[in-house]
Amino acid sequence: VNGQATLSGKSLTASNLHVELGDSQLTVDAHIDDVTHPVAEIHARASQITAKDLVFNSPTTQLRDLDGRIDIHAQGIDFVRAIVRLDQGTTATVTGALKFHGPDLQLLVEAPFANVDEVIALWHGPSDHGHATQWPHHEITEDEPETLHIRAQVDQGIISGFEFSDASATIHYRYGRLRIEPLLFEADDGYGSGTVLLYQTTTPATLQIDGTVVNIDADKVYSQLLKHTG
């Protein structure tokens, strides 16, 4: 952290702090009304930030034009509002909370457009994930809790070439596995539901997509998914 802060009575204010977060650079404004009962109001901005420097795994995927406001207090972190975009068109507004005693991260993501493939790629990374040994880095049990939960609302989107609209989904993450369930969407005059699973403990990672569609043109789905007609 590089910058200056001003203390006035019990209030602390800092502007244009230069902060290193992993390999990423952020500009941060901070304010605390009462340092004896601190709630830090943070406004962070970055032209780009590497996914692994946040809550994701990918060391290469970049999040662009981050503009976020959070409140940090004794119980956790409140994500008041954050806006970010990805390179293939996904733009999202994020709100939610992280509880320190869990830890349990609950987020709501609202997006006018989302490319699900690039969202999943946020959790892709090298098999060692910065460790000296391969996956798994600790024993994985079937009852290992999921500590990250992201509810998503998407107006328009695409996954593996398949176009959809008015989608809702919940993303769950635990060590070594990403699960998107339930996944509900509309397409053409029909609708569908599905489940997406990403297993990171295999080399390469394994992606599994299961779903059901009703009243959707099968030829169009086939063409979109496999990039050809017939």
Side-chain angles (χ1 to χ4, degrees):
V1 179
N2 184 14
Q4 294 182 336
T6 301
L7 181 63
S8 177
K10 294 182 179 181
S11 175
L12 179 69
T13 301
S15 298
N16 292 319
L17 297 175
H18 299 287
V19 177
E20 291 186 4
L21 181 64
D23 297 326
S24 303
Q25 305 287 328
L26 294 89
T27 301
V28 173
D29 300 330
H31 178 75
I32 300 175
D33 275 334
D34 185 348
V35 294
T36 63
H37 299 87
V39 175
E41 300 173 358
I42 307 293
H43 181 200
R45 305 171 302 282
S47 59
Q48 65 181 47
I49 187 167
T50 305
K52 71 176 179 61
D53 293 334
L54 296 175
V55 298
F56 309 106
N57 294 334
S58 174
T60 57
T61 302
Q62 298 293 314
L63 293 90
R64 311 286 184 182
D65 301 331
L66 172 67
D67 189 325
R69 296 180 182 272
I70 63 173
D71 292 344
I72 304 175
H73 48 82
Q75 289 73 43
I77 301 174
D78 295 333
F79 295 84
V80 179
R81 187 172 186 264
I83 299 174
V84 69
R85 69 175 180 86
L86 300 176
D87 285 339
Q88 297 181 44
T90 302
T91 301
T93 300
V94 182
T95 56
L98 169 65
K99 298 178 181 178
F100 288 151
H101 66 268
D104 190 20
L105 179 59
Q106 302 269 356
L107 298 176
L108 170 63
V109 176
E110 297 172 290
F113 174 82
N115 184 316
V116 178
D117 297 313
E118 70 172 344
V119 173
I120 292 173
L122 292 169
W123 278 273
H124 277 295
S127 58
D128 60 6
H129 286 250
H131 294 257
T133 58
Q134 300 292 310
W135 280 97
H137 309 305
H138 69 249
E139 183 178 354
I140 299 175
T141 61
E142 284 301 317
D143 59 351
E144 182 160 350
E146 295 168 322
T147 57
L148 170 63
H149 308 275
I150 302 175
R151 291 190 300 114
Q153 301 285 341
V154 178
D155 294 339
Q156 301 287 332
I158 188 169
I159 179 171
S160 298
F162 175 68
E163 299 173 355
F164 60 85
S165 62
D166 298 322
S168 64
T170 304
I171 302 169
H172 313 270
Y173 185 74
R174 73 177 194 192
Y175 181 75
R177 188 191 72 183
L178 174 72
R179 176 171 64 94
I180 304 178
E181 184 181 18
L183 170 61
L184 306 173
F185 60 89
E186 296 180 3
D188 295 327
D189 296 324
Y191 60 92
S193 61
T195 300
V196 178
L197 292 170
L198 173 66
Y199 295 95
Q200 298 173 294
T201 52
T202 61
T203 303
T206 302
L207 178 64
Q208 178 182 324
I209 302 175
D210 295 314
T212 301
V213 295
V214 177
N215 199 32
I216 295 178
D217 188 331
D219 288 337
K220 184 176 180 180
V221 173
Y222 184 79
S223 174
Q224 290 178 338
L225 290 176
L226 299 182
K227 304 294 191 300
H228 67 266
T229 58

